Amino acid sequence: MMLNRLWPYLLLAPFLIVFVLFFVMPVVLGTWESLFRHTLVGGRMFVGVDNFASVFRDASFWGGLLRVLAFMAIFTPLAVGLGLLLALALDSGAVAGGWLYRLFYFLPYVIPGVVASVMWGFLYGGTFGPLNDILETVGAGRFDFLGPDVALFSIGNISLWMYVGFNMIILYSALQSVSPELTEAAVLDGASRWQIARRIKTPLLAPVLSVMAIFSIIGTLQLFTEPRVLMPTAPDVIGRDYVPNLYLYSLATTGQQFNYVAAAAIVLAGVTFLIAAGYTAVSRLRGAR
Amino acid sequence: MKRRNLVAMAAAAALAIAGAGVATAQDEQVEIEFWAWSTNVEDMVALFEEAHPNIKVNLVNTGGGSAQYEKLQVAFAAGSGAPDVAMIEHQYVLQYAMSGDIQPLDDLGGAAVKGDFIESLVNQLSYDGKLYGIPLDASPLAFGYRTDLWEQAGLASVPTTWAEFAEAAATYRTAHPDSYIVNSPISEGTLLYLWWQAGLTPIEVSGTTIDIDFANETAEQILSYWVDLASRDLISTMPAYTPEWNAAFAAGSLAGWVMPAWGPVIIGPAAPETSGLWRVGTLPSADGTPASAEWSGSSYTVTTQSQHPAEAAELAIWLNHDPSAYEKLFELTGSFPVLKSYATNEEFLATPFEFFGGQPVNQVFAEALAVVPTTWQWAPFHGMVRSTVREQTAAAQNGTVTPAEALANIQSAVVSYAQEQGFTVTTGQ
């Protein structure tokens, strides 16, 4: 009897222990730490919500956040849209050797972000990068891929390269579950491949697309690897406050401001939550209509 | 952080006991952990263990400065996990000394050897009169240049003043339109050292009082000088240590470098095909009187978390001071000596360098080390100062702010940071 009651908890334990240790505890500790300040002179003191007040006045933090929001607005639709386009193309059967394409598009996702960023850093290189060599050969002149106006797009390009294939695979798998009878019926009704993709398959993918968009939003707000790796090659453009996570990382490692970083991280988590919740609410409303 | 204090107290207690009986402690086998990334440190540790059969050293080669600081920072904040001995660059020693994460070495054998090290180094490593690090290498600045390219432009040697250097930059650029005489120190993040060279003291710490003086006339003149050279396209503006920067040396599109004593280790492998074409000259100065500064260099420090401070200090001191170790260190690493007796050693000074066409470049670096202003101090929050200076001077170079505005911004940012950190702040006294 007792044992029966205990079973569910025992089975849950492996997950719960790890979850509490590595998720709940850090959040609780971080929240606790965010209420203090640690100074070189005077040591540790309780400062209440002072750290949070400073975060709300911190132009570097909000500037970086605006930048990732712009990044999100441009690249989330692109990453999901391109993934969808590729998935529909492969699913339509119009492409021979589909598995080969699936493999090619998916491969970048397997490469760790740091490696991908280092590699793209070389490709973008100003005086020795192959992209610039090509531009020069065709007479277009050299181009600074990490210049002030284009660095964000160059970073976005790396993300697209990495994630479009991943999105494609997920959507392609979802398409496999679309009943062939639906498409057969559509074909009999005289629908073209494009109409089938547009009017039948895409609406059926809506729930998957929605989840994908949320993951993409959360992932974007945590943008870190690419700017961190590219920073040394373009320090004047990609500063330490380029994106919020990079800013917090710099403050923690070179500025020793752990308490402030804890507060800022909580604010960032709050913003992420609000945006994700906002998106979910909007897509529910649209679904209800 | 409470835990850290406890550990510090425990360590202090251990210290009191150890101080009373270093000799008895040596009878037992002791294990100490050592984090470092210095060249050939493995061989040096083996040498130490040979001479100290009772001490076993667990060496962790962290691979580099930034990786090590991130790990150290976390271990210090957590109150556990730090090594007994940690390699720390000179400019961060004061920071960890003030935060109480590393301990003074005077009573652990440091006092006896202090006088044997070069003064400008001991000054950088001291806080409130106590020594916190045993230096491993010095890095006085000189000027390395491509003698062939310079000669083609009609330049015989490194100018003695910065004013003449600006003229040389223009002459050079006319002769070599696809090459630059030097890369911008603003882009390389070394402008601070040129302020140091000029005898400025933007940071002066005494106890819990800090004097901050970035917005002064000399600092502005120096910043404006480089901003001007960059805006006239007489110097390149590449970030340092990038593949692009290495490629520029190899391709001859950079023909000079404000070069630290460890420069040959970097530039040699980066541009092997230019071997023999380089020379080293004295760094130009404001008025022609030789003056220099130091570009980093490292020390071994003993953490307050160490359970064996006596043995840890022995490791830090022995590796950099014992004659047999020092001989070996020198042979293995080629790093610039920190002991007075070696910096004036004739054999050392006369050693020719193939990369520099057989020139005994140590002579130039030794002379530079002797004229480093000894008044310079690092901020106890150098990471913050460094990135602020880097960002603001780069903004001046890009033309987004004027040099005066950049300095005013640095001044106010550093002042408010110091105040937040609890310091009593004075400005320019």
Side-chain angles (χ1 to χ4, degrees), chain A residues 34-288:
Chain A
S34 70
L35 304 174
F36 291 84
R37 183 171 295 156
H38 195 95
T39 60
L40 280 168
V41 180
R44 179 186 164 91
M45 62 193 115
F46 181 81
V47 292
V49 294
D50 257 24
N51 286 328
F52 289 92
S54 308
V55 173
F56 283 104
R57 286 194 304 267
D58 190 337
S60 287
F61 179 81
W62 296 103
L65 192 65
L66 274 181
R67 187 171 287 118
V68 286
L69 289 180
F71 185 93
M72 195 173 84
I74 301 167
F75 289 101
T76 298
L78 270 179
V80 176
L82 284 175
L84 176 65
L85 214 64
L86 288 172
L88 288 171
L90 290 176
D91 187 61
S92 71
V95 191
W99 66 273
L100 207 62
Y101 285 96
R102 289 207 297 279
L103 180 69
F104 283 160
Y105 284 116
F106 188 69
L107 266 183
Y109 181 73
V110 184
I111 295 171
V114 174
V115 178
S117 304
V118 169
M119 190 185 81
W120 276 99
F122 271 99
L123 292 176
Y124 289 151
T127 51
F128 59 86
L131 289 179
N132 261 315
D133 286 346
I134 293 169
L135 283 178
E136 181 130 87
T137 318
V138 300
R142 298 203 165 263
F143 181 73
D144 185 3
F145 286 96
L146 296 175
D149 302 324
V150 287
L152 198 64
F153 293 91
S154 297
I155 291 172
N157 177 50
I158 304 177
S159 309
L160 277 187
W161 179 78
M162 287 182 65
Y163 292 108
V164 164
F166 175 74
N167 289 346
M168 175 206 74
I169 289 288
I170 304 275
L171 290 167
Y172 180 80
S173 319
L175 283 172
Q176 301 314 297
S177 65
V178 172
S179 158
E181 285 153 27
L182 276 178
T183 38
E184 263 168 42
V187 170
L188 287 178
D189 287 343
S192 69
R193 270 181 178 157
W194 169 247
Q195 282 170 323
I196 295 172
R198 168 88 180 72
R199 304 277 177 201
I200 297 176
K201 289 178 177 172
T202 307
L204 287 170
L205 288 177
V208 184
L209 287 171
S210 172
V211 169
M212 199 170 274
I214 286 194
F215 281 156
S216 189
I217 287 168
I218 294 171
T220 310
L221 283 166
Q222 293 177 353
L223 189 66
F224 174 75
T225 311
E226 293 87 349
R228 171 71 188 87
V229 172
L230 295 175
M231 184 163 68
T233 53
D236 294 344
V237 178
I238 305 173
R240 66 198 168 114
D241 56 358
Y242 196 69
V243 292
N245 261 359
L246 186 61
Y247 180 54
L248 301 192
Y249 171 85
S250 319
L251 287 183
T253 53
T254 61
Q256 301 169 293
Q257 291 163 291
F258 287 106
N259 306 97
Y260 182 74
V261 168
I266 291 169
V267 174
L268 181 62
V271 171
T272 310
F273 174 79
L274 281 181
I275 293 174
Y279 176 84
T280 316
V282 169
S283 54
R284 280 230 182 99
L285 269 179
R286 280 174 49 193

